[in-house]
Amino acid sequence: MSPTSNSEPSGVHELIAKRWSPREFLAKPVEPAKLLSVFEAARWASTCFNEQPSRYVTATKDDAAGFQRILGLLVEQNQTWARGAFLLGFSASKRTFTHNGAPNRFAPHDLGSASANLALEAVAQGLHTHFMGGFDAVRARAEFGIPDDFEIGAAFAVGYIDEAAVKPGARSRKSLSETTFGTDWGKAAGFMG
Ligand SMILES: Cc1cc2nc3c(=O)[nH]c(=O)nc-3n(C[C@H](O)[C@H](O)[C@H](O)COP(=O)(O)O)c2cc1C
């Protein structure tokens, strides 16, 4: 597999290679210590001014009512499979810097970094994640009392999957030369050969 394959990751750390977004989760509960590690990983992402704008609203199946509240925010298509996960949540990021109240245009970047950490730590813990844009962010704000100063991010599911039963469909990515340039916009960087 070439390091620029468009179907499978290669030449990367196995945590990155093993991460994917499943739709079939096992009923098996996730140990609290593993969930702690997953959210601890998010907390340690780098952030602009060390603002740490990311927040996660979560419910596990141990909190049946909370789990149903988050599940109910998802579009029906996502509900059909996400109900199988052990933890559901959604993210938010603070729109302004706390030290001066100025808009923080890096908050979406920092939420993405935190969530990527979360997803990779999940793999390290033997878990998987699946992020979802298909949910009602307006209702999430109202029903969970999210302050105006926080932008709602993505919903997500966390749980165990049956590694043996998994049959991921074909995965694809843009080529590296479409995403990573030298100093001429649109032209592949020199290190790509
Ligand atoms: C912000 C975001 C929103 C997404 N929304 C949905 C969604 O609503 N439903 C869904 O089934 N998958 C959703 N996905 C999963 C993507 O389709 C998936 O990550 C992409 O196809 C790449 O596949 P992979 O994660 O297995 O590598 C979303 C992913 C992200 C990061």
Side-chain angles (χ1 to χ4, degrees), residues 31-191:
E31 300 83 343
K34 292 194 171 192
L35 294 178
L36 278 176
S37 294
V38 164
F39 290 98
E40 177 72 350
R43 195 165 74 90
W44 282 96
S46 69
T47 64
C48 185
F49 261 100
N50 199 21
E51 170 65 35
Q52 304 163 60
S54 306
R55 305 289 186 274
Y56 296 97
V57 175
T58 67
T60 70
K61 282 200 167 132
D62 291 336
D63 168 15
F67 188 90
Q68 285 301 321
R69 282 179 73 200
I70 298 180
L71 186 67
L73 297 173
L74 307 182
V75 298
E76 213 175 303
Q77 206 181 358
N78 285 333
Q79 282 192 31
T80 55
W81 58 263
R83 69 177 70 250
F86 181 70
L87 180 145
L88 290 179
F90 65 88
S91 62
S93 62
K94 190 168 181 288
R95 298 181 212 260
T96 56
F97 284 111
T98 302
H99 69 279
N100 63 4
N104 179 4
R105 77 177 184 88
F106 302 104
H109 171 280
D110 293 349
L111 177 60
S113 294
S115 296
N117 271 16
L118 184 161
L120 294 178
E121 182 62 32
V123 175
Q125 297 295 334
L127 303 166
H128 275 79
T129 54
H130 194 142
F131 284 84
M132 293 164 273
F135 79 110
D136 191 333
V138 174
R139 266 184 53 215
R141 182 180 298 286
E143 292 181 20
F144 289 81
I146 312 302
D148 286 345
D149 196 25
F150 285 79
E151 177 86 29
I152 310 276
F156 60 97
V158 182
Y160 283 107
I161 62 169
D162 181 350
E163 304 281 350
V166 164
K167 300 241 184 329
R171 298 173 77 207
S172 68
R173 289 298 190 266
K174 292 183 171 69
S175 66
L176 204 49
S177 59
E178 286 177 277
T179 64
T180 308
F181 310 144
T183 51
D184 286 335
W185 178 264
K187 292 206 175 137
F191 61 79

Side-chain angles (χ1 to χ4, degrees), residues 23-34:
R23 291 195 177 85
E24 284 179 37
F25 288 92
L26 293 177
K28 184 177 167 183
V30 178
E31 300 83 343
K34 292 194 171 192

